């Protein structure tokens, strides 16, 4: 599905930047639309994409929020209608600010995202503490439109901003013993009032196998919709692992630890029979209490709206080789 779009959008000299609306002249818009309609006519592109081309719409969000410049990476621009900014920032799971979907947006104002540093520890040749602003300069920022599928059965389509996590891993120089990587959220009851209740073991922890973490899709994420992350979405830095259920995408990270052993994970600690370490999106493996075969796209909640089929690996088939020979019913 991606190739069609790449063909019709003007390439910049480095071959990867898509133009921002402000850089597109009316004539280019006209011509690309014409090409696009031709593509539609030959049936090589999904019709929903037409809405998208009409402009990478000017994102209108939080008044006064810090903009975050990024070049769109065409290899990762999912062609689906993006979730409304309002929905993506008011319907959240971030238990550190409450278990209700509306609470993170209401309560996350107490989170202080500057100064902020991340420590890189464990099986690395270069353990270090990185200030958030230097971390943001480690690699060029890219915009990538990913689908996020929550284990609860809903999904969103969000334009994230960040760079492949592999850039940071490379800088840390993992030792030969580093087989896994663990991510730890901030723990501070003052800033995160939800941590006063023992709904999960704090701090929230998650982990990936080293080869998963090094997959180019795994995104160290600093922004969304053209701006820095709102607090409720995991400011100032989180990961997005789009082929896994949303809970693997840890928010507000303060520590990244490389290890020999598979790390513990917050949801596995809470309910091991329901949430495994891998947690790949998989329509064929039901949650013990509900089916995972379909999903509700946030923003499409009419009474007559049909649910969408959930795709294996959330549609990111390129990760399949990571699990070759593994029984994904066993390693759920
Ligand atoms: N620290 C932390 N990270 C977290 C969570 C959380 O409760 N705490 N919730 C997870 C879940 S269940 C989902 S679906 C996604 C939601 O991300 P979003 O609010 O940006 O859509 O964040 C994940 N990351
Ligand atoms: Mo989730």
């Amino acid at each position: 599905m991606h190739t069609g779009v790449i063909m019709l959008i003007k390439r910049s000299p480095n071959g990867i930047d898509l133009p921002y609306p402000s850089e597109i002249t009316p004539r280019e818009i006209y011509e690309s639309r014409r090409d696009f309609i031709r593509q539609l006519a030959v049936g090589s592109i999904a019709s929903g994409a037409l809405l998208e081309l009409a402009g990478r719409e000017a994102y209108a969000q939080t008044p006064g929020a810090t903009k975050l410049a990024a070049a769109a990476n065409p290899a990762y621009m999912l062609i689906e209608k993006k979730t409304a900014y309002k929905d993506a920032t008011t319907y959240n799971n971030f238990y550190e600010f409450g278990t209700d979907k509306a609470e993170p947006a209401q309560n996350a104002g107490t989170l202080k995202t500057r100064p902020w540093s991340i420590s890189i520890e464990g099986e690395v040749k270069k353990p270090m503490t990185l200030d958030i602003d230097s971390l943001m300069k480690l690699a060029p920022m890219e915009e990538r439109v990913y689908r996020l599928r929550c284990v609860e059965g809903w999904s969103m389509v969000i334009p994230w901003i960040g760079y492949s996590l592999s850039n940071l891993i490379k800088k840390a120089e993992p030792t030969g013993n580093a087989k896994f990587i663990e991510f730890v959220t901030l723990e501070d009851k003052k800033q995160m009032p939800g941590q006063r209740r023992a709904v999960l073991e704090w701090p929230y922890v998650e982990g990936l196998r080293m080869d998963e973490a090094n997959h180019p899709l795994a995104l160290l994420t600093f922004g969304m919709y053209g701006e820095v992350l709102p607090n409720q979405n995991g400011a100032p830095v989180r990961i997005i692992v789009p082929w896994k259920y949303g809970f693997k995408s840890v928010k507000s990270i303060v520590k990244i630890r490389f290890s020999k052993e598979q790390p513990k994970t917050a949801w596995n600690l809470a309910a091991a029979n329901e949430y495994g370490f891998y947690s790949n999106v998989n329509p064929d493996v039901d949650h013990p209490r509900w089916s995972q075969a379909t999903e509700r796209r946030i923003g499409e909640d009419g009474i007559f709206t049909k649910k969408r089929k959930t795709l294996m690996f959330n549609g990111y088939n390129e990760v399949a080789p990571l699990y070759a020979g593994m029984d994904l019913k066993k390693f759920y």
Side-chain angles (χ1 to χ4, degrees), residues 88 91-96 148 150 154 156 158 160 185 200 204 232-233 238 246-251 267:
Y91 188 88
N92 300 101
N93 274 335
F94 199 170
Y95 279 18
E96 286 84 340
L148 182 91
C150 176
W154 48 266
M156 299 198 198
I158 297 180
W160 301 108
T185 296
L200 288 171
Y204 194 102
Q232 62 268 34
N233 291 89
R238 69 179 301 180
F247 65 83
K248 298 292 287 184
S249 292
V250 199
K251 295 175 168 181
W267 282 99

Side-chain angles (χ1 to χ4, degrees), residues 10 38 64 82 122 134 138 167 169 192 202 219 230 250 285 328:
K10 210 166 147 273
R38 206 179 289 141
K82 289 177 199 103
S134 32
L138 206 68
N167 291 291
I169 296 175
M192 298 181 143
W202 311 113
L219 192 70
V250 199
V285 177
L328 295 180

Side-chain angles (χ1 to χ4, degrees), residues 59-256:
Y59 302 127
Q61 308 86 20
T62 313
T66 309
K67 299 271 177 255
L68 187 52
N73 185 332
Y76 303 106
M77 301 301 275
L78 182 70
I79 308 162
E80 281 183 25
K81 191 180 186 309
K82 289 177 199 103
T83 299
Y85 178 83
K86 180 95 206 235
D87 289 336
T89 55
T90 56
Y91 188 88
N92 300 101
N93 274 335
F94 199 170
Y95 279 18
E96 286 84 340
F97 296 104
T99 52
D100 193 272
K101 297 279 183 290
E103 284 181 309
Q106 291 159 3
N107 299 338
T110 46
L111 178 66
K112 256 190 82 198
T113 58
R114 291 290 186 291
W116 189 280
S117 58
I118 293 214
S119 67
I120 315 284
E121 313 178 355
E123 291 289 348
V124 287
K125 290 183 199 129
K126 300 248 171 76
M128 61 185 127
T129 300
L130 275 170
D131 168 72
I132 184 71
D133 295 304
S134 32
L135 183 65
M136 289 176 77
K137 288 185 197 116
L138 206 68
M141 290 287 175
E142 295 175 14
E143 180 177 68
R144 300 186 184 183
V145 179
Y146 282 165
R147 189 188 299 113
L148 182 91
R149 168 62 157 83
C150 176
V151 74
E152 295 166 339
W154 48 266
S155 59
M156 299 198 198
V157 174
I158 297 180
W160 301 108
I161 300 171
Y163 52 74
S164 289
L165 175 62
S166 61
N167 291 291
L168 176 60
I169 296 175
K170 204 166 133 202
K171 181 158 166 98
E173 295 183 33
T175 70
N177 287 330
K179 299 284 183 268
F180 294 91
I181 175 167
E182 179 187 44
F183 304 88
V184 185
T185 296
L186 176 71
E187 182 175 15
D188 180 344
K189 290 184 178 54
K190 286 208 187 77
Q191 293 187 60
M192 298 181 143
Q195 289 178 338
R196 290 175 199 149
R197 290 172 49 206
V199 286
L200 288 171
E201 276 184 38
W202 311 113
Y204 194 102
V205 288
E206 256 305 337
L208 296 169
R209 216 171 54 194
M210 210 52 188
D211 57 344
E212 297 180 311
N214 266 315
H215 193 284
L217 274 169
L219 192 70
L220 195 63
T221 307
F222 304 91
M224 61 196 274
Y225 298 85
E227 297 173 355
V228 298
L229 287 170
N231 289 357
Q232 62 268 34
N233 291 89
V237 58
R238 69 179 301 180
I239 53 167
I240 296 291
V241 192
W243 69 95
K244 293 179 178 282
Y245 290 118
F247 65 83
K248 298 292 287 184
S249 292
V250 199
K251 295 175 168 181
S252 305
I253 297 169
V254 291
K255 193 195 292 185
I256 296 181

